[in-house]
Each structure stands twice: as structure tokens, then as C-alpha cells.
Amino acid sequence: MRSTVTELRALSRRGFLAALGGLAAGPAFAASPLAESLSGREADEGMPLFASAYRQENGDYGIGIVDGFGQILARVSLPGRGHGIAVAPDRRRLVAFARRPGTFALIISPFEAAEPRLLSAEPGRHFYGHGCFSGDGRLLYAVENDFDAARGVIGVYDTSGCDIRRLGEFGTGGIGPHDLMLAPDGRTLVVANGGIRTHPEKPREKLNLDTMAPSVVFLDSLTGDLLAEHTLDPVLHQLSLRHMALDAQGRAWVGGQFEGAESETPPLVGVFSRDKAPDLREIPSPVAAGLRNYIGSVTANASGEIIATSAPRGGQTLFWNAATGDFIGTQTIPDGCGVAPIDQGSFLISDGNGALSLVSEPDGGAEVLARPPGISWDNHLFSLS
């Protein structure tokens, strides 16, 4: 794990940036030296890159591409606050989604001199902030709210041509779908239904806290058929299931955000498989007490053997052994929420104070690599390598 730090330090930061054309931060990828220097190359040619939504001090929003040193290489503006990013299988396209209840998504090709393409939600729908691609990269699946019917849906879009076409939708079997992933079989979609009813007329109000019914469902991405559904014990019906990552065994690790009494400390992390009951993991009491019942992001390292779950309200990032389910340590990172894998053991963590930190070992300390001025990173960080 320490090798990552050594390799990064062995690179010349000046030479690295010079190879990218001396880039500071372009206003759009179409005219960006980053796009020009990377055009025709692969996203993973020894160049660790990451993407995240951000907010500037002046209130503007955008997507930033950063390197393994935490330096911003390029930016693209967003019409409003961003949230999650879907990364195509070839790592050459990104889709940045608006934060709920936003109605825009932006398709970005950072390695090509191409203007971003705007995708707008259908009337009566808004995005929930996340999406994923099909295995061949042609289709985009987006979690959406059919808000008048209080029904979660997956919007299916064909992004292969110049024009983006909405092919249709299918239900998620729940309310408030928040995150989704494509399973290793390349066909099954895993969806976390947060269980919270919302309506854009009351944008951030939670309308059904007494009757919440969160779930994790497995859907056939071609037919929309429900393959499996997992709900929680009724006493945990206010544990909104939100963000996910797949481990080496293809199981979904899911982070929860509890909407019940602050005095309670329910389990906030669970492991979900299609054919097994949910396995809720125990967080040690001294740690759990300080998390404020909120898990922000969930990700796996490159091998899927270590899971990281951030708790920004508690200023902690928790690490788990995926094979055993054991809790293996925590790092203190104030308002740290976005987490992305660098290699087999290391993670890059972004925070709302603008820092990007390297964690090489769960108990080895976090190193702040950079703190770009005037930037507040949003909830999630995604690897492009």
C-alpha cells in the first residue's frame, strides 16, 4: 500500500503537468489542453485521474478532473449542484447528474475535444443523482422519481449516437431510488431504494418518515423484471439505504442514513446479495456514537477486498475487510465524503473543506495532498483510471 505514495512521489509534478500542456483549469473540455493532450489515449495509461462535483466560493457549480496529487487539471461548468457521476466502461465518458430534485445530467467526454451534451429529465420526472452504464457502454440507466405517483423508476437512455434517446423506463419496486450499479454478470441492476418520498414542490422535505420502506432490489436490466428484493426489519424502517459498492465477490455493500431518533445508533452498513438475507455489520460503539447516523459514500479498493464508508457528519471514514465483514479501522477527515480507490489498498478522499487526502492504510494516517482554493467538494469522488 505504501508503494502508491512512493510511486506518486517518484513522478515529477512539474513534468507531469507539463506533459498535460501546462494546464491550470479550462472553462470547458472542448477547448481544454487536457482534452487535447489526452485525445486518442486511454484513460488508464499510468495516469491516475478522478472526477467530482464541486461548488465554488462564488456559488458556481462544476465538475473537476483531478490527478493523483489532488491537483485540478480541468473543469466543466454545471447549471446547478451536481451529485453522482456515471463512468462509462471504457472510462472515456462521464455523466454528471444533478442533485435531487434536479432535472439535468451532463454527458462529458474529457479525452476528446467535444462539447458536453445536456440530458434533461422527462416531464413528471427528476433525477435522484446517480446512474450507471450498460456493460457495452451504449445504454445509460438513471434513477428517477415519478413524483406524482410516488414511484421510483429507472430511465433508460441510448447514448451511442449524437442524439440521446430515452428508450423507456421500468419501476424499481420502491420509493426514492438513490443509487444503482451493474452487477458483475453484466445484466443485473442493483438498486438501493432509499424509501423516502419527496416532491419537487417541496424540494428537500421528507414526506413519509413514519411509513418509510427502504429496500435493495435486483432487476433485469433488459426486461425490468424484479429478480430479488431485500427489506429491513420493521424496527429499521427509517434506515434509508443510499450508496453502494461491489466487493470482490460481487456483493453490494450499502450505506444507510437513519431518519429516526438521534439517540439511537442502528447499524449503518450492510452487505446485500441476491440470494441471501442482508448482513448488517456492527460498528464499534465508540465509533458509531460519533457518526451522527449518516454514511455518505461507499467504495471498494481496486481488488474489492477493502470497503471504505465515509461518514462526513462525524468526520470519519471507516474501513472494512470485505471477505470477513470485519471493521478494520477509521480515519479522521473532517467533512470527508467522496472516496475513490487508487490501487489495491489506497484511497483518495475529498472533503467539503476543499482538501483531497491520501489514505494508504486504514490505520496509517491521512495525508492532505492538496487544497485547491475556493473549492468545496461535493459528496462523491470517482476514479477514471
Side-chain angles (χ1 to χ4, degrees), residues 5-51:
V5 182
T6 302
E7 291 167 3
L8 288 176
R9 291 292 178 265
L11 291 172
S12 163
R13 180 174 299 182
R14 180 175 300 173
F16 183 72
L17 294 180
L20 295 178
L23 175 64
F29 285 108
S32 166
L34 176 64
E36 294 173 4
S37 63
L38 295 184
S39 180
R41 296 179 58 176
E42 296 300 323
D44 59 355
E45 287 185 351
M47 186 182 299
L49 297 174
F50 308 88

Side-chain angles (χ1 to χ4, degrees), residues 79-321:
R81 182 174 175 182
H83 189 68
I85 298 173
V87 182
D90 64 3
R91 305 287 173 173
R92 302 191 67 81
R93 285 178 297 148
L94 319 175
V95 179
F97 288 94
R99 183 188 190 223
R100 174 185 68 81
T103 58
F104 74 85
L106 205 63
I107 301 178
I108 305 165
S109 298
F111 304 96
E112 300 172 7
E115 289 286 351
R117 293 183 290 166
L118 182 66
L119 173 63
S120 298
E122 290 286 293
R125 308 285 184 269
H126 68 68
F127 295 122
Y128 266 112
H130 289 276
C132 73
F133 280 91
S134 59
D136 61 6
R138 182 176 72 89
L139 299 180
L140 175 70
Y141 302 99
V143 281
E144 300 176 4
N145 188 12
D146 177 1
F147 46 80
D148 287 333
R151 180 178 73 108
V153 300
I154 303 294
V156 184
Y157 300 85
D158 185 343
T159 66
S160 60
C162 295
D163 297 324
I164 306 166
R165 295 186 299 128
R166 193 176 198 271
L167 303 179
E169 66 181 34
F170 48 81
T172 68
I175 294 175
H178 192 75
D179 202 359
L180 80 166
M181 303 177 300
L182 186 67
D185 64 10
R187 178 161 175 170
T188 303
L189 287 174
V190 189
V191 183
N193 286 310
I196 300 175
R197 181 180 181 182
T198 60
H199 195 284
E201 292 180 356
K202 301 178 180 180
R204 304 302 295 175
E205 188 173 342
K206 300 165 184 175
L207 304 175
N208 67 330
L209 293 184
D210 291 338
T211 59
M212 285 175 57
S215 65
V216 171
V217 298
F218 294 75
L219 305 174
D220 188 314
S221 64
L222 299 183
T223 66
D225 291 344
L226 179 65
L227 305 175
E229 178 182 22
H230 297 298
T231 58
L232 301 176
D233 188 289
V235 300
L236 294 174
H237 80 98
Q238 289 183 310
L239 181 61
S240 182
L241 301 172
R242 308 285 278 187
H243 297 105
M244 303 184 292
L246 294 174
D247 66 15
Q249 301 177 49
R251 302 175 304 174
W253 284 69
V254 184
Q257 298 172 8
F258 188 58
E259 301 293 341
E262 294 182 3
S263 59
E264 299 182 36
T265 54
L268 298 176
V269 177
V271 186
F272 291 75
S273 304
R274 177 173 167 178
D275 300 321
K276 295 182 180 179
D279 177 16
L280 300 182
R281 306 311 303 158
E282 181 179 353
I283 301 172
S285 297
V287 177
L291 301 184
R292 298 179 61 185
N293 287 331
Y294 187 100
I295 296 296
S297 293
V298 183
T299 196
N301 69 336
S303 66
E305 297 173 346
I306 298 175
I307 303 295
T309 56
S310 65
R313 295 181 180 178
Q316 301 289 321
T317 300
L318 286 58
F319 299 91
W320 308 81
N321 182 314

